Amino acid sequence: MSDSPRSDVEGSTLVKDADVAQDAQPHHGWLNRLYTGTGAFEVVGRRRFYYLLTGAIVLICLLSMVFRGFTLGIDFEGGTRIQLPAADNVSTEQVETVFSDTLGFEPVSVQTVGSGAAATVQVRSEALDAGQVDSVKTALFDAFQPVDGSGTATPNAISVSDVSETWGGQITQKALIALVVFLVIVSIYISIRYERDMALAALAALGFDLLVTAGVYSLVGFEVTPATVIGLLTILGFSLYDSVVVFDKVEENTRGILHLNRKTYAEQANLAVNQTLMRSINTTVIGVLPVLALMIVAVWLLGVGTLKDLALVQLVGMIVGAYSSIFFATPLLVTLKEKWGPVAAHTRKVLAKRAEAAQRGGGATPAVAVASKAPASVTPTPGSRPTGKRNKKRR
C-alpha cells in the first residue's frame, strides 16, 4: 500500500497544492514559452515602456536628420561621373590618388562596378568644367593606359558624363506619389477587411518604419541614392505583412469577446502577439539572410553600388518592421480600442467583476474560490468506474 494521500468516496484526505513540492515541478524556460506562444511574454501590458522606447528612437532619428542631415549621392546633388576599364594595374586607391593630385581635391567616391571583363572603376565627383575633365582624363590615361574593346590603349576608353540633380529629384517625386497611393490603398483595404483602428495602427507602424530607416541612414552616413528611395518602398510590404499577420490573430482571439467576461481585449491581443511572435522572428531571419548574402556579393565580389544601397535599406527596414509590428502596432491598437467604444466599457466591466470576486473570496481568484467550495465527494476515486448513462439499468 502506498503512503501517499489519495481521495475516495469514503472521505480520505485530498491532495493539496501545499503538500506538493513545487521546486520539483517542471519549469518551462523562456525559449519553450516562445515556441509554444502561451502568452507568457507581456507586450501589451507593458505598452507604456514600449511607447517610451519607440518615442526615444523616433526622437534620435529626428535630431539626426535635423542636425546631421543626409549624405546625398551624385544623382541628387549633381556632378561628374568618370569611368575607365578595371585592369590588374588599376585599383580604386590609385585612381583616387591620381584624381586628388591632378585637381587638388578628393572625389566623392571611387568604386569598382561589375566583374570580369566588364568591370570598370567609377569615379564620382562634384561638377567639373571642360578643363578639369581634360586634365583628369590625361592623368588617368598616363597612369593606367586603359584599353578599349579592340585592346588598343586610348584616352577614349575613359568615359565622362555629367549628372543633373534634377534626375534624382524626379525619382524622389515619383517615389513619393507611389508612397501616397500605396498608403491610401492599404488604409482602405485594412479598414474593409478588418476595422478602422487596425488601419490607423498599421499606418502608424509604416510611418515609424520609414522614419527610423531614414534616421539610420542619417546617423550612419549611408549615401542616399535613387536605389535607397526605391528600397524604402520595398520594406513597406514586409512591415505591412507582419502587422496584418498579428492583426489577423487578434481578430480571431477577440471575436465575440464583448459577450464574455473572462478576458479583456488587451489580454487576448497580448496572446495573439505571443502566438505570432515566433513566426515574426522566423520571417525576419529568413528575410535578412538573403539580404546579407546580397550585400556580401555586391560589396566584396561584384562591387555593384546599386545592389549595396538596395540591400542596406532592406536590411534596416526588415529589422525595424519586425520591431514595429510586435512592440508598436498591436499595443497602439489596444490603446485606441480602450480609449472609447464598447471595448473600453467591456474592459471596465471585466476588471470590476474580478475585483468583486476577489473581495468575496478573500483575495482568491474566482476559479480558486469555486474549486475550494466543491465537495470532496465530487472527486472520483482513482480506478473507479465512470458514472452516467452507462451505469443506469436498462428497463
Side-chain angles (χ1 to χ4, degrees), residues 242-298:
D242 211 20
S243 298
V244 168
V245 167
V246 181
F247 287 167
D248 189 69
K249 197 64 179 178
V250 171
E251 184 189 42
E252 178 183 338
N253 290 355
T254 58
R255 188 177 293 118
I257 194 173
L258 298 180
H259 304 289
L260 304 173
N261 296 324
R262 295 179 60 85
K263 296 288 186 179
T264 65
Y265 188 94
E267 291 167 346
Q268 290 299 90
N270 186 75
L271 178 61
V273 172
N274 279 263
Q275 291 171 334
T276 57
L277 184 59
M278 199 62 224
R279 178 174 179 175
S280 299
I281 294 175
N282 288 335
T283 303
T284 304
V285 172
I286 293 173
V288 164
L289 288 178
V291 173
L292 288 175
L294 179 63
M295 291 183 63
I296 293 174
V297 171

Side-chain angles (χ1 to χ4, degrees), residues 182-263:
F182 175 81
L183 294 179
V184 171
I185 294 176
V186 164
S187 59
I188 294 175
Y189 168 76
I190 297 181
S191 299
I192 296 175
R193 172 61 180 84
Y194 296 102
E195 53 187 74
R196 179 201 61 190
D197 292 336
M198 288 186 177
L200 293 176
L203 291 178
L206 288 178
F208 172 81
D209 297 340
L210 289 174
L211 180 62
V212 174
T213 303
V216 170
Y217 263 72
S218 174
L219 279 169
V220 182
F222 292 153
E223 187 177 36
V224 179
T225 65
T228 304
V229 178
I230 296 172
L232 284 174
L233 298 178
T234 64
I235 66 174
L236 296 180
F238 177 85
S239 174
L240 180 66
Y241 167 79
D242 211 20
S243 298
V244 168
V245 167
V246 181
F247 287 167
D248 189 69
K249 197 64 179 178
V250 171
E251 184 189 42
E252 178 183 338
N253 290 355
T254 58
R255 188 177 293 118
I257 194 173
L258 298 180
H259 304 289
L260 304 173
N261 296 324
R262 295 179 60 85
K263 296 288 186 179

Side-chain angles (χ1 to χ4, degrees), residues 25-342:
Q25 301 304 307
H27 295 279
H28 299 292
W30 69 270
L31 189 61
N32 180 273
R33 300 196 306 270
L34 179 64
Y35 271 91
T36 55
T38 55
F41 295 96
E42 190 60 61
V43 176
V44 176
R46 300 186 61 196
R47 58 184 180 271
R48 289 187 178 180
F49 167 77
Y50 292 115
Y51 286 161
L52 292 175
L53 179 60
T54 301
I57 295 174
V58 170
L59 180 61
I60 292 173
C61 293
L62 288 175
L63 291 176
S64 177
M65 287 187 287
V66 171
F67 293 103
R68 287 177 58 89
F70 295 97
T71 304
L72 300 178
I74 188 175
D75 300 301
F76 291 97
E77 291 188 334
T80 301
R81 179 184 291 116
I82 303 173
Q83 287 183 308
L84 67 153
D88 295 337
N89 63 329
V90 181
S91 66
T92 56
E93 293 80 8
Q94 292 172 330
V95 172
E96 184 175 358
T97 301
V98 171
F99 185 97
S100 302
D101 294 342
T102 303
L103 299 182
F105 57 88
E106 295 181 353
V108 174
S109 66
V110 180
Q111 60 183 356
T112 303
V113 179
S115 61
T120 61
V121 176
Q122 185 180 96
V123 182
R124 294 192 297 177
S125 72
E126 61 185 49
L128 305 178
D129 56 32
Q132 291 173 323
V133 170
D134 291 339
S135 299
V136 171
K137 286 186 64 175
T138 301
L140 292 175
F141 178 75
D142 293 340
F144 305 110
Q145 296 292 311
V147 297
D148 57 12
S150 62
T152 304
T154 173
N156 294 329
I158 303 174
S159 63
V160 180
S161 60
D162 293 326
V163 180
S164 174
E165 67 275 6
T166 58
W167 187 78
Q170 292 173 356
I171 292 294
T172 305
Q173 182 180 8
K174 293 180 180 179
L176 291 176
I177 294 175
L179 175 61
V180 172
V181 173
F182 175 81
L183 294 179
V184 171
I185 294 176
V186 164
S187 59
I188 294 175
Y189 168 76
I190 297 181
S191 299
I192 296 175
R193 172 61 180 84
Y194 296 102
E195 53 187 74
R196 179 201 61 190
D197 292 336
M198 288 186 177
L200 293 176
L203 291 178
L206 288 178
F208 172 81
D209 297 340
L210 289 174
L211 180 62
V212 174
T213 303
V216 170
Y217 263 72
S218 174
L219 279 169
V220 182
F222 292 153
E223 187 177 36
V224 179
T225 65
T228 304
V229 178
I230 296 172
L232 284 174
L233 298 178
T234 64
I235 66 174
L236 296 180
F238 177 85
S239 174
L240 180 66
Y241 167 79
D242 211 20
S243 298
V244 168
V245 167
V246 181
F247 287 167
D248 189 69
K249 197 64 179 178
V250 171
E251 184 189 42
E252 178 183 338
N253 290 355
T254 58
R255 188 177 293 118
I257 194 173
L258 298 180
H259 304 289
L260 304 173
N261 296 324
R262 295 179 60 85
K263 296 288 186 179
T264 65
Y265 188 94
E267 291 167 346
Q268 290 299 90
N270 186 75
L271 178 61
V273 172
N274 279 263
Q275 291 171 334
T276 57
L277 184 59
M278 199 62 224
R279 178 174 179 175
S280 299
I281 294 175
N282 288 335
T283 303
T284 304
V285 172
I286 293 173
V288 164
L289 288 178
V291 173
L292 288 175
L294 179 63
M295 291 183 63
I296 293 174
V297 171
V299 177
W300 291 350
L301 300 181
L302 300 180
V304 181
T306 303
L307 291 179
K308 179 187 69 175
D309 298 337
L310 188 60
L312 280 173
V313 68
Q314 287 183 338
L315 177 65
V316 176
M318 284 182 177
I319 297 175
V320 173
Y323 168 85
S324 66
S325 63
I326 297 172
F327 300 106
F328 181 59
T330 305
L332 180 60
L333 170 64
V334 174
T335 298
L336 293 174
K337 285 290 186 182
E338 291 184 345
K339 283 296 182 183
W340 56 78

